[in-house]
Amino acid sequence: MRTKSFIPLLLPLITALQPIASLGVPSSTSTSQTNRNCISNPTSPTTTTTTPATSLPMSSSFADEKKSEIPSEDENGRLKALKSQEAELSRLLADVRRQKLSVIRSRPLTIGVVGFGRFGQFIARTFAKYGRVVATSRSDYTDVARGMGVEYVPLSDMAGFVAHELDVIVLATSIVSFEDTVRKLVPYLEEAKRRGGVDADSGAVQRLAGPLIVDVLSVKDYPRQVLLDLLPPECDILCTHPMFGPDSGKNGWQGLNFVYERTRVDGLVLDPTQDQSFHQLSQADNDQNPDQVSSASFRDIQGKLHNVHEDSEAHIMAMDRMERFLSIGKRR
């Protein structure tokens, strides 16, 4: 065959290339040697030579990276210490919140009464036994208010009335003047909420940005909608309907029907179809962490479930204020 005539010519070239091939990697050398043998002995059967794979050493950076993924004893100890510190800080925070609520409850509520007619005087007389009361009305009731230990501010000085840092404002007006009274009150509430909020240094809630607004009308839907539509969202809303008056309640409120609806708390509009009672925060003293009490929950109007003790200082303070106000009626 023609290929045999070229073999003598190729042998010197192959011989010359052997030193160069010996400088390659083992697999290349083995392959070159096999090819040379095949060419020098064309009559031998073709064979395939497999060179064992050589294990390359792992790079030091990759090895260090894999090693770093395994926590050392020092790291495990550090993590355990951090978890212990976290638990201690959580316990301290709960203790501080308990003490803060205790201080808040030791301060009587400041209750404003808008409308100091016969019914307004009737409820103000009871409120004055358990808190500080500031009243306002169109007529001058200064002497009447002084006689029952109530401070009086003319309705013409609404700014002065709201400036008393009221925790609660009870709207004891007639249904005819109700909406107009709320509209006149709103600008002063907007101004007052700027004085509330959190402390710039500590971040703690010093005072809720808006008071709790309470209506005492004999109807339900109308005042509820007016308050939701007009009041700043920072104002909590409690819609009530006392089933008694100055005559039937002259000997006290205890045992008399008092219908109410917690309408809005800390910006949450509650579902009026849910009649589940709230946990009384005033019952959570006895060295119990308020954040761990889970016996009370409620749904907002979107159906979302909330707990009375949500992780919000403002929420806890708002709930405590509402429950303390409601507890006044239960004491009589």
Side-chain angles (χ1 to χ4, degrees):
M1 295 178 63
R2 291 178 59 87
T3 54
K4 291 184 178 180
S5 62
F6 288 99
I7 291 175
L9 297 176
L10 291 175
L11 287 175
L13 179 60
I14 293 173
T15 303
L17 289 175
Q18 283 183 348
I20 299 176
S22 65
L23 297 176
V25 296
S27 59
S28 298
T29 303
S30 176
T31 304
S32 299
Q33 185 70 24
T34 302
N35 292 339
R36 185 175 62 85
N37 291 338
C38 293
I39 297 173
S40 61
N41 189 10
T43 59
S44 63
T46 303
T47 59
T48 302
T49 303
T50 303
T51 303
T54 305
S55 298
L56 297 176
M58 185 182 295
S59 67
S60 59
S61 61
F62 181 76
D64 292 341
E65 181 180 346
K66 298 298 290 183
K67 184 178 179 181
S68 66
E69 293 177 0
I70 303 175
S72 65
E73 291 185 7
D74 290 342
E75 288 173 331
N76 285 330
R78 175 65 173 162
L79 181 60
K80 185 176 180 179
L82 288 172
K83 288 182 177 180
S84 178
Q85 291 178 19
E86 184 179 36
E88 178 64 15
L89 288 173
S90 180
R91 187 193 65 78
L92 289 173
L93 177 60
D95 185 60
V96 168
R97 283 184 170 177
R98 282 199 305 272
Q99 294 183 45
K100 183 173 182 178
L101 279 175
S102 178
V103 171
I104 290 172
R105 292 170 188 148
S106 68
R107 179 181 65 85
L109 292 173
T110 299
I111 303 173
V113 178
V114 180
F116 206 57
R118 190 163 180 251
F119 189 81
Q121 293 175 31
F122 165 66
I123 59 176
R125 187 176 287 106
T126 298
F127 294 156
K129 297 177 182 179
Y130 304 103
R132 175 171 168 255
V133 179
V134 182
T136 186
S137 195
R138 285 188 302 237
S139 302
D140 186 3
Y141 290 105
T142 304
D143 294 337
V144 176
R146 187 183 297 115
M148 61 177 69
V150 173
E151 187 172 349
Y152 184 80
V153 178
L155 190 62
S156 58
D157 185 17
M158 187 66 79
F161 172 72
V162 176
H164 281 277
E165 296 189 354
L166 306 170
D167 297 301
V168 183
I169 296 178
V170 181
L171 302 174
T173 67
S174 68
I175 192 171
V176 175
S177 60
F178 182 80
E179 182 174 346
D180 185 58
T181 301
V182 174
R183 289 185 180 278
K184 290 179 179 178
L185 181 62
V186 166
Y188 301 100
L189 296 176
E190 293 282 3
E191 177 62 28
K193 77 179 185 181
R194 299 186 183 95
R195 300 193 293 267
V198 300
D199 181 80
D201 297 324
S202 67
V205 178
Q206 297 298 310
R207 178 172 169 268
L208 292 172
L212 167 64
I213 307 298
V214 183
D215 94 273
V216 291
L217 292 182
S218 57
V219 295
K220 177 182 177 182
D221 292 337
Y222 169 71
R224 182 182 191 275
Q225 198 58 51
V226 169
L227 296 177
L228 285 173
D229 288 345
L230 299 181
L231 289 177
E234 292 80 7
C235 292
D236 297 337
I237 300 173
L238 178 67
C239 293
T240 75
H241 182 190
M243 307 292 286
F244 52 85
D247 295 327
S248 58
K250 62 183 179 181
N251 296 321
W253 300 359
Q254 191 171 15
L256 301 177
N257 292 327
F258 182 73
V259 180
Y260 59 91
E261 174 198 285
R262 300 174 181 85
T263 303
R264 186 167 69 193
V265 180
D266 190 30
L268 295 172
V269 180
L270 310 187
D271 184 351
T273 64
Q274 299 290 321
D275 57 0
Q276 179 177 355
S277 177
F278 284 90
H279 174 75
Q280 292 283 342
L281 293 184
S282 57
Q283 297 174 1
D285 294 329
N286 304 327
D287 296 329
Q288 188 177 21
N289 179 6
D291 292 334
Q292 294 178 349
V293 178
S294 58
S295 61
S297 61
F298 59 91
R299 294 187 183 276
D300 60 27
I301 202 166
Q302 280 80 33
K304 183 179 179 181
L305 187 68
H306 299 269
N307 190 275
V308 170
H309 307 282
E310 290 193 335
D311 189 19
S312 163
E313 189 174 10
H315 186 90
I316 294 173
M317 291 174 67
M319 283 303 312
D320 181 76
R321 176 177 63 182
M322 185 174 287
E323 296 304 313
R324 284 199 294 150
F325 175 78
L326 285 171
S327 70
I328 292 176
K330 297 174 184 179
R331 300 177 193 176
R332 292 290 297 161

